[in-house]
Amino acid sequence: MDINVVNSLTYEDFVQIFGSVVEKCPLISAAVWSRRPFRDLADIETHITEFIHNLPDSGKEGILRCHPDLAGRDLQSGTLTRESQEEQSQAGMDTLDSTEILHMYRLNAQYKERFGFPFVICARLNKKAEILHQLSERLTNDRAAERERAIEEVKKICSLRLRNIVRCDIQTKL
Ligand SMILES: NC(=O)NC1NC(=O)NC1=O
């Protein structure tokens, strides 16, 4: 989709199309719509990032809680969003054997117990081994550092989801 087309979308259409760029948080695109006209994809991304940055810690943690576990119950029962399903399968989360699923489940539970929100990582930029490594390593962070770390991952997920929607001429490194 061209940026001029994005700028001409009604509020309803914009939220319909961009509502999932941050998992289960259509409120963010609803808020960002009022910042039109956008110069380009990077401009939309900047407004989303700003919105998230300005949230209180409870709001940031709320965003994290909207994310499904990696290789969790939603994946097993086929109730992930389309975006999350694609991302988790790209990272090989849908082909784990039962030992790996159990390992992941235990680490996810430990992480949630420690921080009060689920472990979030950009699955499209990481393979199985790296995800497990990060999950163990990030468990040792303190809560504030980990909240910020996880929000950085949300931004990467969002950036890749946006690029699936809006035509982008410039390749920036994530
Ligand atoms: N928990 C978690 O990281 N979930 C996700 N990561 C990602 O790239 N898509 C997701 O749904």
Side-chain angles (χ1 to χ4, degrees):
M1 185 182 289
D2 192 83
I3 197 69
N4 295 319
V5 179
V6 175
N7 285 328
S8 68
L9 292 174
T10 62
Y11 161 77
E12 286 81 3
D13 287 344
F14 186 82
V15 174
Q16 170 76 28
I17 295 166
F18 289 87
S20 297
V21 293
V22 178
E23 181 78 6
K24 293 186 185 145
C25 292
L27 165 70
I28 298 179
S29 35
V32 161
W33 181 79
S34 56
R35 310 301 295 270
R36 292 162 310 129
F38 305 112
R39 277 191 311 279
D40 49 23
L41 173 68
D43 194 33
I44 304 178
E45 204 172 329
T46 300
H47 287 302
I48 293 176
T49 302
E50 255 175 37
F51 182 89
I52 296 175
H53 176 76
N54 289 330
L55 288 172
D57 293 344
S58 58
K60 291 179 182 161
E61 293 188 2
I63 289 179
L64 298 174
R65 290 192 193 99
C66 286
H67 286 72
D69 283 347
L70 286 164
R73 201 181 309 142
D74 284 325
L75 176 65
Q76 316 306 332
S77 60
T79 51
L80 286 173
T81 58
R82 179 180 50 80
E83 292 86 351
S84 184
Q85 170 68 47
E86 282 171 15
E87 291 155 0
Q88 295 212 24
S89 82
Q90 271 191 35
M93 292 294 105
D94 56 350
T95 53
L96 301 184
D97 63 31
S98 53
T99 315
E100 291 171 323
I101 291 176
L102 188 63
H103 186 45
M104 195 69 140
Y105 175 81
R106 287 197 177 127
L107 285 174
N108 270 327
Q110 220 179 316
Y111 181 100
K112 248 184 272 185
E113 171 75 21
R114 175 165 164 79
F115 298 115
F117 49 80
F119 172 74
V120 174
I121 189 167
C122 180
R124 277 164 73 181
L125 295 179
N126 293 280
K127 292 278 173 248
K128 180 172 74 177
E130 184 57 19
I131 288 174
L132 279 166
H133 172 70
Q134 291 280 328
L135 184 43
S136 306
E137 194 170 87
R138 283 168 49 186
L139 259 170
T140 59
N141 282 342
D142 68 47
R143 183 171 175 148
E146 184 49 25
R147 185 192 308 116
E148 292 311 311
R149 178 73 180 77
I151 286 292
E152 287 308 309
E153 294 296 315
V154 169
K155 290 182 197 163
K156 290 181 198 170
I157 297 169
C158 172
S159 185
L160 291 174
R161 289 185 181 184
L162 277 170
R163 290 178 210 197
N164 274 353
I165 305 172
V166 184
R167 201 167 65 82
C168 170
D169 299 323
I170 304 160
Q171 292 302 319
T172 44
K173 190 161 161 43
L174 287 174

